[in-house]
Amino acid sequence: MSATDDQPTIEAPRPTPPRRLGLSGKLLLLTIPLVMIAGLMMYVPTIANFRINRLNDRLAAANTAALVLDAAPSGMVPDSLARQILKSVGARAVAIKMGQQRRLLASADLPTAIDHDIDMRTMTVWSAIVDSFDTMLETGNHTIRLVGPAPGGAQFIEVVFDEKPLRQAMYRFSRNVLLVSLGIAMLTAGLVYLALHYLFVRPMRRLTASLVGFHENPESAASIIVPSQRGDEIGVAERELSDMQRDLVSMLHQKSRLAALGLAVSKINHDLRNLLASSQLLSDQLASVPDPRVQRFAPKLMRSLERAIDFCQSTLSYGRAQEAAPDRRMILIEPVVAEVRESAGIAADASIAWVSAIERGLAVDADPDQLFRVLLNLVRNAAQALESRPKGDAAALQIRITGRREGSVAIIEVSDTGPGVPARAREHLFEAFQTSGRTGGSGLGLTIAAELVRAHGGDIHLVEGTIGATFRISIPDRPVELQTVRNERARA
């Protein structure tokens, strides 16, 4: 929704695609033809092998008949017996070649011409496949002369028979194979479908449902998917989606808090300024009263007002898009540290010891106001951490500030003897609203400090392995052109 001067403009809803076949249905429709294609690929060599087996059976029967016919005395076999033998073999004629002589052992109703010649001795796999489909695609009753090896000393045996019985047998076999293949295909497709459905489709539906629910209500933690224990890619996708949803929910909650903070600050900003201005006027008038009691409490009241003004100013500054660019110059660090101590109230607090170990004459290339804000936030955090320690703890309460120079980099450390930073808070230490562990805390101090330090091109981080908490600030000097330095020296 984009707001205008007159009325808001509502973004058009995203068009919903028409309801079509789901992933499960597509999987089923894809599995059945694939299984059928696999069955068809198996059928091609199977039907060729069936035809070869039938031809070999015909040769085997012809060899047996040839032995019977050749064993007859003087080769004389009654016509009736020869016809019975040929009928049992399913042939019209049986001949055998021995040496240079071809001998017709038996014949009955020989055709006038042979339509096809098949030589089993020279048949290849490809020719067997092609001849099988040629046989099935032909019509009518053709005559086939089959040649194959013969037993004994004969060179080969020849069998003449009709093609139609062979074709009919191949049709019956194809029908049986089709029915069995169809049953196996349906069973296999069903098993594959169920396996893929439970392994892939159901998890994908779960992911899709989680995405749709999260899109409808992205701020609800109830719509976050609970990842399974799968170790494959779907398990990785579930875990990554869960982490992404948790990060987005946390981010949205943070943005909501920022929006609420900005709205609240914008409402009370005007009245708060008036109240603080009136309080400052009253405190100035109280400071001129000669009463000793008033003189004793007036500075404390003024410091309290200054703290309130500084805190409101830091909150307002964080609400802007970005901080103003630092007005950097070489400044001495010791006066800034002294002002931070007074503003934080450490000078009047006898329970917290203040230790300043700064190199004499240490200068930092920084914006004095922004550096003051950085150190003030760190010192206040340290004081609050010391105040949160148990009252029975006899350990010394101390805040220590050290400063030194390492080449062109100024190093400032703020440390305390408090309980330290909890382990769960270190991952989001410098993020807004993530590190405030006390009642009424805003969680903005470290965020503002980190933003100001980075604007100087520096770095701030928590030093590990120290008593309490130690924050180290590194601010490098700006590079200066050599010609500029020479010009300044020349003017001097």
Side-chain angles (χ1 to χ4, degrees):
M1 181 180 296
S2 59
T4 61
D5 295 337
D6 298 331
Q7 59 184 1
T9 302
I10 301 177
E11 184 181 356
R14 183 175 57 181
T16 302
R19 182 68 177 177
R20 296 180 179 178
L21 193 62
L23 183 61
S24 180
K26 292 179 180 179
L27 177 62
L28 181 61
L29 294 181
L30 181 62
T31 304
I32 293 178
L34 290 179
V35 175
M36 293 297 294
I37 291 174
L40 179 61
M41 295 178 64
M42 295 178 60
Y43 167 76
V44 172
T46 301
I47 191 63
N49 186 65
F50 174 80
R51 180 173 176 271
I52 292 175
N53 291 334
R54 294 301 293 262
L55 295 177
N56 287 328
D57 293 341
R58 189 66 56 85
L59 285 176
N63 285 326
T64 303
L67 293 176
V68 174
L69 295 172
D70 189 52
S74 301
M76 299 301 293
V77 178
D79 292 340
S80 60
L81 179 59
R83 289 178 178 276
Q84 291 181 2
I85 294 175
L86 291 176
K87 184 178 181 181
S88 64
V89 175
R92 289 193 178 189
V94 176
I96 190 171
K97 182 177 181 181
M98 301 183 66
Q100 298 298 325
Q101 181 183 5
R102 296 179 64 182
R103 181 184 173 188
L104 182 61
L105 299 179
S107 63
D109 301 329
L110 281 174
T112 57
I114 301 298
D115 298 316
H116 301 289
D117 287 325
I118 301 176
D119 193 343
M120 298 296 292
R121 299 170 298 176
T122 61
M123 182 177 292
T124 62
V125 176
W126 177 251
S127 63
I129 294 175
V130 173
D131 293 343
S132 298
F133 284 95
D134 288 342
T135 301
M136 295 183 66
L137 294 176
E138 288 182 350
T139 59
N141 188 16
H142 297 84
T143 304
I144 298 176
R145 185 173 70 94
L146 179 62
V147 179
Q155 294 181 1
F156 59 83
I157 187 172
E158 296 175 305
V159 183
V160 179
F161 61 93
D162 294 332
E163 185 184 37
K164 186 175 181 180
L166 176 61
R167 185 186 306 118
Q168 293 176 349
M170 294 177 67
Y171 283 157
R172 290 192 298 269
F173 178 77
S174 300
R175 182 189 60 191
N176 296 334
V177 170
L178 177 62
L179 295 176
V180 174
S181 299
L182 184 60
I184 294 176
M186 297 299 294
L187 179 61
T188 305
L191 294 177
V192 172
Y193 168 76
L194 291 177
L196 295 179
H197 179 77
Y198 283 97
L199 288 177
F200 300 105
V201 177
R202 288 185 61 185
M204 289 301 298
R205 285 181 177 175
R206 185 166 173 263
L207 288 173
T208 305
S210 177
L211 288 173
V212 173
F214 188 79
H215 177 263
E216 294 176 352
N217 189 8
E219 296 186 4
S220 174
S223 59
I224 297 177
I225 187 172
V226 179
S228 61
Q229 301 299 323
R230 297 179 57 155
D232 54 7
E233 288 78 1
I234 292 182
V236 174
E238 290 176 346
R239 289 188 289 272
E240 292 297 327
L241 177 60
S242 177
D243 294 340
M244 182 188 69
Q245 290 175 336
R246 293 182 186 277
D247 293 340
L248 288 176
V249 169
S250 177
M251 185 182 301
L252 289 174
H253 287 171
Q254 180 178 345
K255 296 298 182 182
S256 299
R257 294 184 63 183
L258 282 173
L261 175 62
L263 180 61
V265 170
S266 64
K267 289 181 178 179
I268 67 175
N269 185 28
H270 182 269
D271 293 338
L272 183 61
R273 286 180 178 178
N274 293 336
L275 292 174
L276 291 177
S278 301
S279 299
Q280 281 186 320
L281 292 175
L282 292 176
S283 63
D284 292 340
Q285 295 177 4
L286 288 176
S288 61
V289 176
D291 190 343
R293 297 179 59 187
V294 174
Q295 292 295 325
R296 186 170 68 252
F297 289 110
K300 296 182 180 180
L301 176 61
M302 295 178 65
R303 284 197 297 271
S304 298
L305 291 175
E306 290 174 356
R307 293 192 190 102
I309 294 173
D310 290 339
F311 182 77
C312 293
Q313 183 63 33
S314 64
T315 305
L316 291 172
S317 298
Y318 186 79
R320 294 200 300 265
Q322 60 181 10
E323 292 284 348
D327 182 15
R328 301 181 66 173
R329 56 184 180 271
M330 296 301 295
I331 59 173
L332 294 176
I333 189 62
E334 291 182 346
V336 178
V337 172
E339 185 179 0
V340 168
R341 181 185 180 186
E342 293 177 359
S343 299
I346 306 300
D349 193 346
S351 62
I352 300 178
W354 178 272
V355 178
S356 178
I358 300 175
E359 292 181 356
R360 184 180 299 274
L362 176 62
V364 182
D365 185 11
D367 185 320
D369 293 333
Q370 292 189 2
L371 182 61
F372 170 81
R373 291 173 59 191
V374 171
L375 296 178
L376 181 61
N377 280 317
L378 295 178
V379 169
R380 280 178 172 172
N381 287 345
Q384 292 164 2
L386 294 175
E387 293 173 356
S388 64
R389 294 184 60 171
K391 295 184 178 180
D393 194 347
L397 305 181
Q398 184 184 96
I399 297 178
R400 180 182 180 88
I401 296 185
T402 62
R404 65 185 184 276
R405 176 168 287 277
E406 296 181 358
S408 62
V409 180
I411 307 296
I412 305 173
E413 292 184 355
V414 179
S415 58
D416 60 72
T417 57
V421 180
R424 61 182 178 84
R426 297 189 180 188
E427 184 177 356
H428 306 282
L429 191 58
F430 297 102
E431 297 181 11
F433 309 121
Q434 298 291 331
T435 58
S436 178
R438 63 184 179 86
T439 304
S442 63
L444 294 175
L446 291 178
T447 305
I448 295 174
E451 183 179 351
L452 295 176
V453 171
R454 290 165 186 158
H456 287 74
D459 177 68
I460 179 173
H461 64 275
L462 179 67
V463 180
E464 301 291 342
T466 61
I467 299 176
T470 299
F471 289 91
R472 179 176 297 169
I473 304 171
S474 303
I475 300 179
D477 297 341
R478 289 171 297 171
V480 180
E481 296 183 0
L482 182 59
Q483 187 62 36
T484 303
V485 177
R486 289 176 178 175
N487 294 336
E488 291 179 355
R489 290 180 178 178
R491 287 196 297 269

